[in-house]
Amino acid sequence: MNSLYERYADLLVRYCLRAQPGDRVSIRSSYLAEPLLAPVYRGLTLAGAHYDAKIAIRDEDRIFAECASDQQIGEISPLERIIYESYDAILTIRAPFNLKNMQSIPAETKKKLGEAKGELHDIFSSRSANGSLRWTLCEFPTDAAAQECGMSLGEYEQFVFGACRLFDHDPVAAWNRVRENQQAAVYRLDRATAVRFVNDDSDITFSVKGRKWINSDGRRNMPSGEVFSSPVEDSVNGHILFSYPGIYMGEEIEDIRLEVKNGLVISWSASRGKELLDRIMQIEGARRFGECAIGTNDGISRFTKNMLFDEKMGGTVHMALGSTYKETGGLNQSPIHWDLLADMNAGGIFADGTCIYRNGHFIF
């Protein structure tokens, strides 16, 4: 196990962060991730980088949500501002104690917490787009995450390590091959003007004219395996059922159906969690889409209620309500970026009227 965490750390430091001498790196995690944090610290130090770590305690987010005043919620930490404005890289290692600890927090409080992150998110998005900030999000297996998706801790460890290709002879080389294979889809989609997602429950079209498709190759999300862009903001029309639950601050919203006209979500429904969905739709920019994406990772074969993995599943598409990734050319701004996932194993994707994807796979 120690050897696997050393391989994981090497992948994060050398491939994902591409750590260089003099880099200033911010690390965020919980103390549960110590078996991975120690080799990450070692790797960054040997690379000549400098790191600062913010290590969460149990129930930290819930304590803040329950006790903070509106003034405290809206205040931006000066330290956080410095990190977002001037650090070279941010590494977030998710290692949750409890994935349900925010479930009973009122929807209005969750809305305020989401809105409070807007300014930092704008800084993050701008620096990410211009290349001055490198960032990586990854997962450390914990009991809470394993239980959430119905696995034992040992099974979940094997799932995470396999999705990150740590069992490959050379994980870095394996992710370089992922980049090469996905580039063919990027080349094809970059030539498209209009894209259509269609299956038995959905038929939604949007323009991607002038937008750039991104090859998500494991550097920002580990694991990855997707290609994504942003729809022209006022071009989205149709209806879509997100067949997997939407997870927002630990709470599930099931069977989300959206009707969209000229880019704006004009009606929405859910079989469970409708009150929270109503609150989310009140957030500035949350009724327009900031992302359209296609999952390609066939090594992720089950829904885990963790979008880091789920949105990469082969045979799925996802669209995000809220803020865009500026490197795609998108313009929508919002304090949130909320990914919603739909099954496409019995569906198709069309580019300018030509079918380029059928039943879970590209066909060009």
Side-chain angles (χ1 to χ4, degrees):
M1 188 64 69
N2 288 339
S3 175
L4 281 168
Y5 282 125
E6 288 167 3
R7 289 166 70 85
Y8 200 173
D10 178 71
L11 183 64
L12 293 171
V13 171
R14 190 159 59 94
Y15 177 78
C16 300
L17 295 177
R18 291 153 285 159
Q20 302 294 318
D23 277 352
R24 180 67 69 185
V25 182
S26 173
I27 302 171
R28 289 101 185 285
S29 191
S30 80
Y31 64 76
L32 294 179
E34 184 179 355
L36 178 57
L37 287 167
V40 165
Y41 295 165
R42 184 180 302 113
L44 288 171
T45 303
L46 290 172
H50 309 280
Y51 66 84
D52 297 291
K54 183 178 186 298
I55 305 302
I57 64 170
R58 190 181 303 272
D59 288 335
E60 182 176 322
D61 52 353
R62 182 179 181 86
I63 291 169
F64 184 76
E66 288 180 334
C67 301
S69 65
D70 286 350
Q71 186 273 332
Q72 288 173 301
I73 289 175
E75 184 176 341
I76 296 175
S77 159
L79 177 58
E80 286 289 281
R81 186 183 293 278
I82 290 170
I83 289 171
Y84 277 77
E85 289 180 342
S86 63
Y87 273 46
D88 301 290
I90 297 174
L91 172 63
T92 302
I93 303 172
R94 295 200 302 210
F97 298 98
N98 179 355
L99 289 166
K100 302 297 186 184
N101 68 330
M102 293 288 284
Q103 190 162 339
S104 62
I105 297 298
E108 181 63 23
T109 301
K110 291 179 179 177
K111 175 175 175 284
K112 291 177 182 177
L113 290 166
E115 290 174 334
K117 298 176 182 177
E119 185 177 348
L120 289 179
H121 184 85
D122 287 344
I123 298 169
F124 175 89
S125 180
S126 295
R127 293 194 62 213
S128 174
N130 67 31
S132 64
L133 176 65
R134 284 166 276 137
W135 58 272
T136 299
L137 171 67
C138 68
E139 188 87 6
F140 178 88
T142 66
D143 283 313
Q147 291 166 5
E148 182 72 2
C149 57
M151 298 186 201
S152 69
L153 180 58
E155 290 171 332
Y156 189 60
E157 287 170 337
Q158 297 297 302
F159 170 80
V160 172
F161 298 153
C164 293
R165 302 182 181 269
L166 298 181
F167 297 123
D168 284 50
H169 174 69
D170 184 343
V172 171
W175 283 104
N176 281 324
R177 289 193 296 273
V178 169
R179 182 190 306 113
E180 293 171 5
N181 292 337
Q182 290 184 161
Q183 194 59 39
V186 169
Y187 286 145
R188 177 64 183 86
L189 288 161
D190 269 340
R191 298 197 304 271
T193 299
V195 173
R196 178 187 179 200
F197 293 164
V198 59
N199 61 24
D200 289 343
D201 299 298
S202 307
D203 191 345
I204 195 162
T205 61
F206 47 89
S207 171
V208 287
K209 184 177 181 180
R211 299 297 163 89
K212 179 177 175 58
W213 286 83
I214 305 296
N215 183 343
S216 183
D217 57 7
R219 283 192 162 142
R220 291 182 172 177
N221 284 178
M222 177 51 64
S224 196
E226 65 169 309
V227 294
F228 68 91
S229 187
S230 58
V232 174
E233 285 70 26
D234 61 357
S235 72
V236 188
N237 284 283
H239 63 276
I240 186 166
L241 167 68
F242 294 105
S243 43
Y244 295 94
I247 313 295
Y248 190 82
M249 293 189 180
E251 188 169 345
E252 295 180 37
I253 306 175
E254 295 184 354
D255 299 318
I256 298 171
R257 293 179 183 269
L258 306 180
E259 293 281 345
V260 191
K261 184 175 182 180
N262 297 331
L264 186 69
V265 178
I266 59 172
S267 67
W268 55 89
S269 65
S271 63
R272 183 164 73 93
K274 177 65 163 46
E275 179 185 357
L276 178 56
L277 182 60
D278 291 342
R279 295 285 187 179
I280 293 169
M281 290 299 177
Q282 295 172 19
I283 297 174
E284 182 181 359
R287 289 171 60 190
R288 293 191 185 273
F289 290 98
E291 182 188 7
C292 50
I294 304 165
T296 67
N297 192 332
D298 289 332
I300 301 173
S301 58
R302 61 183 293 176
F303 183 67
T304 63
K305 302 182 183 180
N306 183 338
M307 196 56 73
L308 176 62
F309 298 95
D310 298 337
E311 69 175 6
K312 315 303 190 313
M313 277 196 296
T316 66
V317 298
H318 61 278
M319 300 184 74
L321 290 171
S323 66
T324 191
Y325 292 111
K326 293 183 179 179
E327 56 264 52
T328 67
L331 302 174
N332 197 48
Q333 297 183 12
S334 176
I336 69 166
H337 176 96
W338 187 33
D339 293 302
L340 299 170
L341 185 68
D343 189 353
M344 288 293 286
N345 280 299
I349 297 174
F350 296 81
D352 298 327
T354 300
C355 185
I356 63 168
Y357 176 106
R358 182 182 298 120
N359 299 335
H361 298 281
F362 287 103
I363 57 174
F364 48 83

